[in-house]
PDB file of all heavy atoms in Angstrom:
ATOM      1  N   ALA A   1     -24.933  45.864  26.099  1.00 56.00           N
ATOM      2  CA  ALA A   1     -26.362  45.955  26.528  1.00 56.00           C
ATOM      3  C   ALA A   1     -27.360  45.445  25.503  1.00 56.00           C
ATOM      4  O   ALA A   1     -28.525  45.426  25.721  1.00 56.00           O
ATOM      5  CB  ALA A   1     -26.714  47.345  27.060  1.00 56.00           C
ATOM      6  N   GLY A   2     -26.845  45.226  24.299  1.00 59.00           N
ATOM      7  CA  GLY A   2     -27.774  44.805  23.227  1.00 59.00           C
ATOM      8  C   GLY A   2     -28.412  45.924  22.493  1.00 59.00           C
ATOM      9  O   GLY A   2     -29.290  45.722  21.677  1.00 59.00           O
ATOM     10  N   GLU A   3     -28.050  47.138  22.768  1.00 58.00           N
ATOM     11  CA  GLU A   3     -28.631  48.375  22.098  1.00 58.00           C
ATOM     12  C   GLU A   3     -27.863  48.463  20.734  1.00 58.00           C
ATOM     13  O   GLU A   3     -26.652  48.300  20.668  1.00 58.00           O
ATOM     14  CB  GLU A   3     -28.364  49.617  22.862  1.00 58.00           C
ATOM     15  CG  GLU A   3     -29.185  49.593  24.178  1.00 58.00           C
ATOM     16  CD  GLU A   3     -28.920  50.968  24.917  1.00 58.00           C
ATOM     17  OE1 GLU A   3     -28.695  51.972  24.280  1.00 58.00           O
ATOM     18  OE2 GLU A   3     -29.096  50.927  26.148  1.00 58.00           O
ATOM     19  N   PRO A   4     -28.656  48.782  19.698  1.00 60.00           N
ATOM     20  CA  PRO A   4     -28.162  48.976  18.420  1.00 60.00           C
ATOM     21  C   PRO A   4     -27.188  50.255  18.361  1.00 60.00           C
ATOM     22  O   PRO A   4     -27.581  51.256  18.990  1.00 60.00           O
ATOM     23  CB  PRO A   4     -29.266  49.079  17.445  1.00 60.00           C
ATOM     24  CG  PRO A   4     -30.350  49.455  18.323  1.00 60.00           C
ATOM     25  CD  PRO A   4     -30.087  48.919  19.716  1.00 60.00           C
ATOM     26  N   THR A   5     -26.167  50.109  17.677  1.00 71.00           N
ATOM     27  CA  THR A   5     -25.312  51.420  17.461  1.00 71.00           C
ATOM     28  C   THR A   5     -25.421  51.834  16.026  1.00 71.00           C
ATOM     29  O   THR A   5     -25.756  51.050  15.138  1.00 71.00           O
ATOM     30  CB  THR A   5     -23.889  51.060  17.805  1.00 71.00           C
ATOM     31  OG1 THR A   5     -23.388  50.066  16.911  1.00 71.00           O
ATOM     32  CG2 THR A   5     -23.668  50.680  19.195  1.00 71.00           C
ATOM     33  N   LEU A   6     -25.250  53.041  15.807  1.00 68.00           N
ATOM     34  CA  LEU A   6     -25.397  53.620  14.463  1.00 68.00           C
ATOM     35  C   LEU A   6     -24.005  53.651  13.707  1.00 68.00           C
ATOM     36  O   LEU A   6     -23.027  54.076  14.342  1.00 68.00           O
ATOM     37  CB  LEU A   6     -25.950  55.068  14.497  1.00 68.00           C
ATOM     38  CG  LEU A   6     -27.327  55.168  15.069  1.00 68.00           C
ATOM     39  CD1 LEU A   6     -27.727  56.643  15.245  1.00 68.00           C
ATOM     40  CD2 LEU A   6     -28.368  54.388  14.233  1.00 68.00           C
ATOM     41  N   SER A   7     -24.020  53.265  12.458  1.00 76.00           N
ATOM     42  CA  SER A   7     -22.799  53.377  11.755  1.00 76.00           C
ATOM     43  C   SER A   7     -22.653  54.830  11.249  1.00 76.00           C
ATOM     44  O   SER A   7     -23.528  55.664  11.323  1.00 76.00           O
ATOM     45  CB  SER A   7     -22.846  52.457  10.519  1.00 76.00           C
ATOM     46  OG  SER A   7     -23.805  52.952   9.599  1.00 76.00           O
ATOM     47  N   ASP A   8     -21.413  55.197  10.757  1.00 76.00           N
ATOM     48  CA  ASP A   8     -21.246  56.489  10.275  1.00 76.00           C
ATOM     49  C   ASP A   8     -22.167  56.745   9.101  1.00 76.00           C
ATOM     50  O   ASP A   8     -22.644  57.935   8.908  1.00 76.00           O
ATOM     51  CB  ASP A   8     -19.699  56.584   9.778  1.00 76.00           C
ATOM     52  CG  ASP A   8     -18.772  56.686  10.964  1.00 76.00           C
ATOM     53  OD1 ASP A   8     -19.175  56.994  12.068  1.00 76.00           O
ATOM     54  OD2 ASP A   8     -17.503  56.389  10.723  1.00 76.00           O
ATOM     55  N   ARG A   9     -22.409  55.750   8.292  1.00 75.00           N
ATOM     56  CA  ARG A   9     -23.356  55.909   7.172  1.00 75.00           C
ATOM     57  C   ARG A   9     -24.746  56.236   7.628  1.00 75.00           C
ATOM     58  O   ARG A   9     -25.430  57.130   7.077  1.00 75.00           O
ATOM     59  CB  ARG A   9     -23.328  54.602   6.341  1.00 75.00           C
ATOM     60  CG  ARG A   9     -24.259  54.602   5.155  1.00 75.00           C
ATOM     61  CD  ARG A   9     -23.662  55.441   4.056  1.00 75.00           C
ATOM     62  NE  ARG A   9     -24.604  55.362   2.961  1.00 75.00           N
ATOM     63  CZ  ARG A   9     -24.649  56.349   2.019  1.00 75.00           C
ATOM     64  NH1 ARG A   9     -23.857  57.426   2.093  1.00 75.00           N
ATOM     65  NH2 ARG A   9     -25.533  56.277   1.063  1.00 75.00           N
ATOM     66  N   GLU A  10     -25.222  55.543   8.650  1.00 71.00           N
ATOM     67  CA  GLU A  10     -26.553  55.809   9.224  1.00 71.00           C
ATOM     68  C   GLU A  10     -26.663  57.267   9.749  1.00 71.00           C
ATOM     69  O   GLU A  10     -27.602  57.901   9.602  1.00 71.00           O
ATOM     70  CB  GLU A  10     -26.917  54.765  10.247  1.00 71.00           C
ATOM     71  CG  GLU A  10     -27.133  53.376   9.684  1.00 71.00           C
ATOM     72  CD  GLU A  10     -27.208  52.267  10.735  1.00 71.00           C
ATOM     73  OE1 GLU A  10     -26.491  52.401  11.752  1.00 71.00           O
ATOM     74  OE2 GLU A  10     -28.076  51.378  10.553  1.00 71.00           O
ATOM     75  N   ILE A  11     -25.571  57.622  10.439  1.00 71.00           N
ATOM     76  CA  ILE A  11     -25.581  58.981  11.090  1.00 71.00           C
ATOM     77  C   ILE A  11     -25.590  59.972   9.914  1.00 71.00           C
ATOM     78  O   ILE A  11     -26.298  60.970   9.960  1.00 71.00           O
ATOM     79  CB  ILE A  11     -24.288  59.181  11.880  1.00 71.00           C
ATOM     80  CG1 ILE A  11     -24.423  58.267  13.177  1.00 71.00           C
ATOM     81  CG2 ILE A  11     -24.141  60.620  12.300  1.00 71.00           C
ATOM     82  CD1 ILE A  11     -23.245  58.213  13.978  1.00 71.00           C
ATOM     83  N   TYR A  12     -24.823  59.735   8.875  1.00 69.00           N
ATOM     84  CA  TYR A  12     -24.802  60.667   7.718  1.00 69.00           C
ATOM     85  C   TYR A  12     -26.220  60.790   7.056  1.00 69.00           C
ATOM     86  O   TYR A  12     -26.647  61.873   6.787  1.00 69.00           O
ATOM     87  CB  TYR A  12     -23.745  60.119   6.687  1.00 69.00           C
ATOM     88  CG  TYR A  12     -23.913  60.881   5.287  1.00 69.00           C
ATOM     89  CD1 TYR A  12     -23.345  62.186   5.187  1.00 69.00           C
ATOM     90  CD2 TYR A  12     -24.563  60.306   4.212  1.00 69.00           C
ATOM     91  CE1 TYR A  12     -23.509  62.875   3.987  1.00 69.00           C
ATOM     92  CE2 TYR A  12     -24.664  61.011   3.047  1.00 69.00           C
ATOM     93  CZ  TYR A  12     -24.116  62.249   2.949  1.00 69.00           C
ATOM     94  OH  TYR A  12     -24.261  62.941   1.699  1.00 69.00           O
ATOM     95  N   GLU A  13     -26.858  59.615   6.891  1.00 68.00           N
ATOM     96  CA  GLU A  13     -28.251  59.599   6.292  1.00 68.00           C
ATOM     97  C   GLU A  13     -29.222  60.362   7.136  1.00 68.00           C
ATOM     98  O   GLU A  13     -30.055  61.155   6.648  1.00 68.00           O
ATOM     99  CB  GLU A  13     -28.726  58.212   6.072  1.00 68.00           C
ATOM    100  CG  GLU A  13     -28.048  57.481   4.906  1.00 68.00           C
ATOM    101  CD  GLU A  13     -28.218  58.096   3.631  1.00 68.00           C
ATOM    102  OE1 GLU A  13     -29.398  58.625   3.343  1.00 68.00           O
ATOM    103  OE2 GLU A  13     -27.268  58.141   2.824  1.00 68.00           O
ATOM    104  N   MET A  14     -29.108  60.243   8.482  1.00 67.00           N
ATOM    105  CA  MET A  14     -30.002  60.990   9.377  1.00 67.00           C
ATOM    106  C   MET A  14     -29.794  62.523   9.245  1.00 67.00           C
ATOM    107  O   MET A  14     -30.690  63.250   9.271  1.00 67.00           O
ATOM    108  CB  MET A  14     -29.807  60.499  10.805  1.00 67.00           C
ATOM    109  CG  MET A  14     -30.304  59.044  11.024  1.00 67.00           C
ATOM    110  SD  MET A  14     -29.941  58.440  12.667  1.00 67.00           S
ATOM    111  CE  MET A  14     -30.993  59.496  13.673  1.00 67.00           C
ATOM    112  N   GLU A  15     -28.488  62.877   9.189  1.00 68.00           N
ATOM    113  CA  GLU A  15     -28.163  64.324   9.063  1.00 68.00           C
ATOM    114  C   GLU A  15     -28.686  64.863   7.846  1.00 68.00           C
ATOM    115  O   GLU A  15     -29.291  65.904   7.740  1.00 68.00           O
ATOM    116  CB  GLU A  15     -26.701  64.491   9.214  1.00 68.00           C
ATOM    117  CG  GLU A  15     -26.148  64.293  10.618  1.00 68.00           C
ATOM    118  CD  GLU A  15     -24.629  64.361  10.653  1.00 68.00           C
ATOM    119  OE1 GLU A  15     -23.965  64.307   9.621  1.00 68.00           O
ATOM    120  OE2 GLU A  15     -24.123  64.412  11.790  1.00 68.00           O
ATOM    121  N   ARG A  16     -28.525  64.099   6.695  1.00 66.00           N
ATOM    122  CA  ARG A  16     -29.005  64.527   5.381  1.00 66.00           C
ATOM    123  C   ARG A  16     -30.522  64.680   5.363  1.00 66.00           C
ATOM    124  O   ARG A  16     -31.035  65.725   4.889  1.00 66.00           O
ATOM    125  CB  ARG A  16     -28.498  63.541   4.315  1.00 66.00           C
ATOM    126  CG  ARG A  16     -28.747  64.008   2.947  1.00 66.00           C
ATOM    127  CD  ARG A  16     -28.287  63.031   1.872  1.00 66.00           C
ATOM    128  NE  ARG A  16     -28.980  61.691   1.950  1.00 66.00           N
ATOM    129  CZ  ARG A  16     -30.228  61.518   1.555  1.00 66.00           C
ATOM    130  NH1 ARG A  16     -30.905  62.445   1.049  1.00 66.00           N
ATOM    131  NH2 ARG A  16     -30.711  60.284   1.653  1.00 66.00           N
ATOM    132  N   LYS A  17     -31.192  63.783   5.951  1.00 65.00           N
ATOM    133  CA  LYS A  17     -32.692  63.765   6.042  1.00 65.00           C
ATOM    134  C   LYS A  17     -33.094  65.077   6.794  1.00 65.00           C
ATOM    135  O   LYS A  17     -34.038  65.716   6.571  1.00 65.00           O
ATOM    136  CB  LYS A  17     -33.332  62.535   6.591  1.00 65.00           C
ATOM    137  CG  LYS A  17     -33.274  61.383   5.589  1.00 65.00           C
ATOM    138  CD  LYS A  17     -33.858  60.153   6.147  1.00 65.00           C
ATOM    139  CE  LYS A  17     -33.687  59.014   5.206  1.00 65.00           C
ATOM    140  NZ  LYS A  17     -34.147  57.809   5.693  1.00 65.00           N
ATOM    141  N   GLY A  18     -32.368  65.318   7.920  1.00 63.00           N
ATOM    142  CA  GLY A  18     -32.682  66.457   8.738  1.00 63.00           C
ATOM    143  C   GLY A  18     -32.510  67.775   7.938  1.00 63.00           C
ATOM    144  O   GLY A  18     -33.308  68.706   8.052  1.00 63.00           O
ATOM    145  N   GLU A  19     -31.463  67.791   7.113  1.00 63.00           N
ATOM    146  CA  GLU A  19     -31.257  68.994   6.275  1.00 63.00           C
ATOM    147  C   GLU A  19     -32.288  69.136   5.241  1.00 63.00           C
ATOM    148  O   GLU A  19     -32.745  70.225   4.972  1.00 63.00           O
ATOM    149  CB  GLU A  19     -29.791  68.887   5.589  1.00 63.00           C
ATOM    150  CG  GLU A  19     -28.700  69.084   6.580  1.00 63.00           C
ATOM    151  CD  GLU A  19     -27.349  68.792   5.942  1.00 63.00           C
ATOM    152  OE1 GLU A  19     -27.286  68.334   4.780  1.00 63.00           O
ATOM    153  OE2 GLU A  19     -26.316  68.875   6.658  1.00 63.00           O
ATOM    154  N   GLU A  20     -32.815  68.035   4.718  1.00 60.00           N
ATOM    155  CA  GLU A  20     -33.817  68.096   3.716  1.00 60.00           C
ATOM    156  C   GLU A  20     -35.125  68.572   4.391  1.00 60.00           C
ATOM    157  O   GLU A  20     -35.844  69.409   3.741  1.00 60.00           O
ATOM    158  CB  GLU A  20     -34.156  66.668   3.143  1.00 60.00           C
ATOM    159  CG  GLU A  20     -33.129  66.224   2.104  1.00 60.00           C
ATOM    160  CD  GLU A  20     -33.319  64.819   1.703  1.00 60.00           C
ATOM    161  OE1 GLU A  20     -34.333  64.165   2.017  1.00 60.00           O
ATOM    162  OE2 GLU A  20     -32.451  64.318   0.929  1.00 60.00           O
ATOM    163  N   ILE A  21     -35.376  68.146   5.562  1.00 61.00           N
ATOM    164  CA  ILE A  21     -36.607  68.614   6.290  1.00 61.00           C
ATOM    165  C   ILE A  21     -36.559  70.056   6.542  1.00 61.00           C
ATOM    166  O   ILE A  21     -37.458  70.818   6.283  1.00 61.00           O
ATOM    167  CB  ILE A  21     -36.808  67.833   7.642  1.00 61.00           C
ATOM    168  CG1 ILE A  21     -37.176  66.379   7.334  1.00 61.00           C
ATOM    169  CG2 ILE A  21     -37.849  68.542   8.488  1.00 61.00           C
ATOM    170  CD1 ILE A  21     -37.145  65.467   8.494  1.00 61.00           C
ATOM    171  N   LEU A  22     -35.378  70.571   7.024  1.00 59.00           N
ATOM    172  CA  LEU A  22     -35.219  72.009   7.207  1.00 59.00           C
ATOM    173  C   LEU A  22     -35.375  72.882   5.886  1.00 59.00           C
ATOM    174  O   LEU A  22     -35.987  73.801   5.881  1.00 59.00           O
ATOM    175  CB  LEU A  22     -33.801  72.273   7.835  1.00 59.00           C
ATOM    176  CG  LEU A  22     -33.622  71.832   9.324  1.00 59.00           C
ATOM    177  CD1 LEU A  22     -32.203  72.091   9.714  1.00 59.00           C
ATOM    178  CD2 LEU A  22     -34.616  72.643  10.176  1.00 59.00           C
ATOM    179  N   ALA A  23     -34.834  72.242   4.793  1.00 57.00           N
ATOM    180  CA  ALA A  23     -34.958  72.936   3.457  1.00 57.00           C
ATOM    181  C   ALA A  23     -36.403  72.993   3.062  1.00 57.00           C
ATOM    182  O   ALA A  23     -36.890  73.960   2.588  1.00 57.00           O
ATOM    183  CB  ALA A  23     -34.113  72.204   2.416  1.00 57.00           C
ATOM    184  N   ASP A  24     -37.179  71.846   3.310  1.00 52.00           N
ATOM    185  CA  ASP A  24     -38.578  71.838   2.928  1.00 52.00           C
ATOM    186  C   ASP A  24     -39.320  72.884   3.823  1.00 52.00           C
ATOM    187  O   ASP A  24     -40.229  73.570   3.253  1.00 52.00           O
ATOM    188  CB  ASP A  24     -39.204  70.510   3.187  1.00 52.00           C
ATOM    189  CG  ASP A  24     -38.830  69.460   2.114  1.00 52.00           C
ATOM    190  OD1 ASP A  24     -38.268  69.954   1.046  1.00 52.00           O
ATOM    191  OD2 ASP A  24     -39.023  68.248   2.372  1.00 52.00           O
ATOM    192  N   MET A  25     -38.971  72.995   5.072  1.00 53.00           N
ATOM    193  CA  MET A  25     -39.695  74.055   5.839  1.00 53.00           C
ATOM    194  C   MET A  25     -39.400  75.334   5.418  1.00 53.00           C
ATOM    195  O   MET A  25     -40.312  76.220   5.375  1.00 53.00           O
ATOM    196  CB  MET A  25     -39.188  73.858   7.347  1.00 53.00           C
ATOM    197  CG  MET A  25     -39.689  72.530   8.037  1.00 53.00           C
ATOM    198  SD  MET A  25     -38.903  72.213   9.629  1.00 53.00           S
ATOM    199  CE  MET A  25     -39.374  73.676  10.538  1.00 53.00           C
ATOM    200  N   SER A  26     -38.152  75.649   5.002  1.00 49.00           N
ATOM    201  CA  SER A  26     -37.769  76.930   4.432  1.00 49.00           C
ATOM    202  C   SER A  26     -38.537  77.229   3.206  1.00 49.00           C
ATOM    203  O   SER A  26     -38.988  78.375   2.980  1.00 49.00           O
ATOM    204  CB  SER A  26     -36.183  77.007   4.262  1.00 49.00           C
ATOM    205  OG  SER A  26     -35.911  78.174   3.588  1.00 49.00           O
ATOM    206  N   MET A  27     -38.683  76.295   2.314  1.00 47.00           N
ATOM    207  CA  MET A  27     -39.382  76.488   1.033  1.00 47.00           C
ATOM    208  C   MET A  27     -40.874  76.705   1.299  1.00 47.00           C
ATOM    209  O   MET A  27     -41.483  77.596   0.655  1.00 47.00           O
ATOM    210  CB  MET A  27     -39.264  75.284   0.120  1.00 47.00           C
ATOM    211  CG  MET A  27     -37.873  75.071  -0.461  1.00 47.00           C
ATOM    212  SD  MET A  27     -37.386  76.406  -1.561  1.00 47.00           S
ATOM    213  CE  MET A  27     -38.526  76.067  -2.873  1.00 47.00           C
ATOM    214  N   THR A  28     -41.448  76.068   2.323  1.00 45.00           N
ATOM    215  CA  THR A  28     -42.843  76.308   2.670  1.00 45.00           C
ATOM    216  C   THR A  28     -43.051  77.756   3.150  1.00 45.00           C
ATOM    217  O   THR A  28     -44.010  78.422   2.749  1.00 45.00           O
ATOM    218  CB  THR A  28     -43.276  75.324   3.699  1.00 45.00           C
ATOM    219  OG1 THR A  28     -43.126  74.029   3.254  1.00 45.00           O
ATOM    220  CG2 THR A  28     -44.800  75.600   4.135  1.00 45.00           C
TER     221      THR A  28
END
C-alpha cells in the first residue's frame, strides 16, 4: 500500500524515547 514500515531499530528508539519521557515526568 506504500505505507512505511518501522524497522526494529526505529521501534527500539521510539520505546526508548517513551521511557525517557516517562522518566522526565517522574522527575518533575
